[in-house]
Amino acid sequence: MSKKLWGTRFPKKTCTLTDKFTSSIAFDKRLAKYDILGSIAHARMLGKQRIIPSKEANAIVQGLNAILKDLEKGKFKFDLAAEDVHSNIQDLLVKKIGAAAFKLHTARSRNDQIALDIRMYLKEEVKELVEMVALLQNSILKLAKANQKVIIPGYTHLQMAQCVLLAHHLLAYLEGLERDKARLLDAKERADIMPLGSCALSGTSLAIDRKAVMKELGFKKITENSIDSVSDRDFIIEALADLAILSVHLSRIAEDLILWATKEFNFIDIDFSFCTGSSIMPHKKNPDVLELIRGSVGKVQGDLSSILVLMKGLPSSYNRDLQLDKPPLFDAIDTVKDILEIFVVLFQNIVVEKGAIACRLTDESLFSVDVVEYLIKKGVSYRDAHDIVGKMVRDCLDKGKKISSLNRSELKKYSPKLEPDIKNILSAWKSVSLKTSYGGTNPGLVEKQIKNWEKKLNARI
Ligand code: ARG
């Protein structure tokens, strides 16, 4: 067991159960890199400000750089008996450079130190997450472009509704993911504020230079209030809320693909390399990857809940409860990264079943709104047009007839405005072509959207 940073005031040793229960090294060790970088900047500042002799500041910086190198090379052995990552690194530094190491903690508390570490970690992770979301968008865009002319029946309430371009449906995913990136980048802004120098809660009487540390660590601003700096974790809640929303999107995309891969839909085939089989039913090819994506999302939502519950009603300033912000934070980030990593490749392994999809487009109920709009264009009110087409669709379904098979006099029974030329609009291609309103599924508009996305995504990757 390493020497406690606070042991002197204690007349006796803490119980080993207490040590085990309060230790966080098992999970906060992943913050080691940020802890070291933060300490290097802090030591340099202490030296420059002549709070500690520059010789000792240099020794500390050199020692920490050596520890960082070991960490990068995987040679850093974490001491799982240490209370936390801060104590572990401090111990190592003492071993490396001796007594000068004890000056590193001048004008600093673990309360502001941990706040710094998580902010640095979060900034880096958010950057990576946004890049991964962009890769997924690119993967989806490629599938859309390769199948630009494919029309599918669109669904509402999971009932066949109207024809849409498959590409249009896929581009809808890109819109949501784009907002997810924007939300995450926004959360990064709130993480990009440097808390070090707040110390335990009140600041310090020593002449520190917080702005110098901010600049060295690449932060945009410094925190304005030392109590708030050690107290709040709203920047984590915000990032987790954004990840929870992103994962809702990911689960809904997964669900669409699961449905589309069923025999009943048969819109897509997912390559065997991204499916699994059944131990009992030899014929099965199951979309387990997608199901696990759908399922993992629950963890991310749980992570958000757990940090909200952790923070609710906490007294101001630092409380040890805050140590427990890290497991949900790490879990949410790891889970979403794992999902994104496999989703990017899964999208490259989807084949669109064009023939099977085309067979679904012969159901003329898909064009009922087109006939309604045909009548509206001839001056019929929306209400009357809806009734006319409703009656026509009902009769056709009852008699097993197609609208396109009705002759002139049959059509006239429903409305004098109906002419045999309605046959011209009873096709999937015509149906999508007619949807020229901005944002609609018209092929020309969708092609333009594809081009816009290509420009937008290429510019950012
Ligand atoms: N491990 C703590 C955390 O993650 C930081 C240590 C602060 N400990 C203390 N006794 N003030 O929040």
Side-chain angles (χ1 to χ4, degrees):
M1 168 64 67
S2 57
K3 186 170 173 340
K4 302 237 164 48
L5 294 172
W6 39 264
T8 320
R9 187 248 179 275
F10 272 53
K12 61 195 276 195
K13 278 195 166 172
T14 44
C15 169
T16 47
L17 277 176
T18 304
D19 293 339
K20 196 172 144 222
F21 193 68
T22 55
S23 167
S24 56
I25 185 81
F27 52 86
D28 65 17
K29 63 185 178 151
R30 77 154 83 182
L31 298 175
K33 176 176 116 186
Y34 309 103
D35 202 73
I36 298 168
L37 290 173
S39 291
I40 291 175
H42 184 65
R44 280 214 182 104
M45 180 278 289
L46 291 175
K48 261 199 208 128
Q49 295 298 102
R50 306 201 180 285
I51 297 170
I52 64 173
S54 55
K55 220 173 132 200
E56 282 171 310
N58 289 341
I60 294 173
V61 171
Q62 267 177 21
L64 287 169
N65 271 323
I67 296 174
L68 188 60
K69 273 217 179 87
D70 284 350
L71 185 76
E72 284 163 356
K73 285 190 199 142
K75 281 201 209 149
F76 187 112
K77 285 219 168 61
F78 286 98
D79 174 9
L80 292 179
E83 188 180 349
D84 51 29
V85 67
H86 322 300
S87 318
N88 197 161
I89 290 165
Q90 171 85 28
D91 289 345
L92 272 176
L93 190 63
V94 173
K95 273 188 208 129
K96 271 209 183 331
I97 66 165
F102 294 120
K103 298 208 169 157
L104 171 61
H105 214 51
T106 313
R108 191 174 72 168
S109 152
R110 284 179 296 164
N111 299 355
D112 56 348
Q113 197 178 345
I114 191 65
L116 174 76
D117 293 0
I118 337 171
R119 284 174 182 273
M120 289 175 73
Y121 162 80
L122 196 56
K123 274 173 61 181
E124 209 165 282
E125 290 294 338
V126 165
K127 206 172 143 251
E128 223 174 282
L129 278 160
V130 168
E131 278 162 15
M132 291 177 88
V133 175
L135 286 179
L136 177 60
Q137 286 179 303
N138 247 325
S139 225
I140 299 172
L141 183 60
K142 280 203 183 112
L143 187 67
K145 200 176 173 195
N147 295 281
Q148 214 170 310
K149 297 244 158 73
V150 177
I151 300 170
I152 56 168
Y155 287 72
T156 59
H157 312 268
L158 219 49
Q159 302 287 329
M160 278 229 268
Q162 289 181 269
C163 288
V164 292
L165 285 178
L166 171 68
H168 190 54
H169 185 114
L170 294 171
L171 293 186
Y173 301 156
L174 266 56
E175 297 285 343
L177 294 172
E178 191 67 11
R179 290 191 293 276
D180 289 321
K181 290 194 304 190
R183 266 186 288 269
L184 281 166
L185 289 172
D186 216 33
K188 187 164 162 261
E189 288 296 302
R190 242 83 60 206
D192 204 355
I193 310 176
M194 210 287 299
L196 208 65
S198 302
C199 303
L201 79 163
S202 67
T204 174
S205 64
L206 298 166
I208 56 172
D209 181 354
R210 296 189 61 210
K211 285 225 164 110
V213 177
M214 170 197 90
K215 276 193 204 130
E216 175 154 355
L217 293 175
F219 276 90
K220 282 196 184 149
K221 295 184 205 159
I222 52 173
T223 53
E224 297 291 329
N225 180 304
S226 59
I227 301 173
D228 175 54
S229 312
V230 296
S231 179
D232 215 330
R233 294 292 184 266
D234 55 357
F235 60 98
I236 298 185
I237 298 176
E238 188 179 353
L240 287 205
D242 297 345
L243 288 181
I245 300 172
L246 164 61
S247 40
V248 167
H249 285 148
L250 297 172
S251 76
R252 293 186 67 177
I253 299 172
E255 175 62 9
D256 277 355
L257 299 183
I258 291 169
L259 284 172
W260 287 358
T262 57
K263 276 253 153 53
E264 288 73 13
F265 270 86
N266 199 18
F267 284 7
I268 56 167
D269 178 68
I270 301 164
D271 193 76
F272 275 100
S273 49
F274 290 88
C275 293
T276 61
S278 157
S279 59
I280 179 167
M281 296 169 281
H283 68 284
K284 291 296 283 295
K285 180 184 172 206
N286 294 328
D288 292 34
V289 170
L290 291 165
E291 290 170 302
L292 286 169
I293 290 175
R294 190 177 58 188
S296 312
V297 163
K299 271 172 12 114
V300 182
Q301 279 144 20
D303 292 328
L304 170 62
S305 299
S306 81
I307 186 130
L308 283 168
V309 176
L310 178 77
M311 297 304 293
K312 179 186 171 295
L314 266 191
S316 284
S317 182
Y318 183 83
N319 302 274
R320 192 63 177 266
D321 314 45
L322 293 178
Q323 177 162 297
L324 302 177
D325 59 0
K326 283 164 274 308
L329 170 65
F330 297 158
D331 183 67
I333 288 179
D334 291 347
T335 306
V336 174
K337 279 169 93 175
D338 283 350
I339 294 177
L340 289 169
E341 187 183 23
I342 194 158
F343 227 163
V344 170
V345 197
L346 190 139
F347 259 101
Q348 294 159 3
N349 284 274
I350 288 176
V351 171
V352 175
E353 300 286 6
K354 294 184 188 155
I357 296 173
C359 295
R360 305 295 166 76
L361 302 174
T362 52
D363 182 343
E364 290 179 350
S365 339
L366 283 168
F367 314 124
S368 67
V369 180
D370 299 319
V371 182
V372 169
E373 290 180 358
Y374 165 98
L375 288 170
I376 290 173
K377 283 174 197 158
K378 290 190 167 195
V380 181
S381 77
Y382 160 74
R383 188 67 264 161
D384 288 345
H386 194 283
D387 287 346
I388 292 164
V389 179
K391 198 157 181 299
M392 203 159 72
V393 168
R394 192 178 66 208
D395 289 348
C396 282
L397 287 174
D398 288 350
K399 293 176 191 151
K401 272 189 165 182
K402 290 193 136 217
I403 304 173
S404 55
S405 73
L406 301 178
N407 61 32
R408 194 164 190 279
S409 65
E410 283 170 315
L411 289 169
K412 294 288 176 193
K413 269 192 250 156
Y414 296 106
S415 163
K417 296 284 165 73
L418 281 171
E419 298 290 342
D421 70 351
I422 63 159
K423 287 192 187 82
N424 299 338
I425 59 167
L426 299 176
S427 87
W429 187 253
K430 187 72 192 175
S431 180
V432 292
S433 302
L434 283 170
K435 306 300 177 330
T436 48
S437 57
Y438 189 78
T441 201
N442 169 278
L445 292 176
V446 172
E447 191 181 350
K448 245 191 221 154
Q449 288 195 355
I450 289 181
K451 289 208 173 107
N452 288 345
W453 277 113
E454 276 179 329
K455 253 193 251 153
K456 221 191 269 189
L457 294 174
N458 287 336
R460 277 198 216 146
I461 289 179

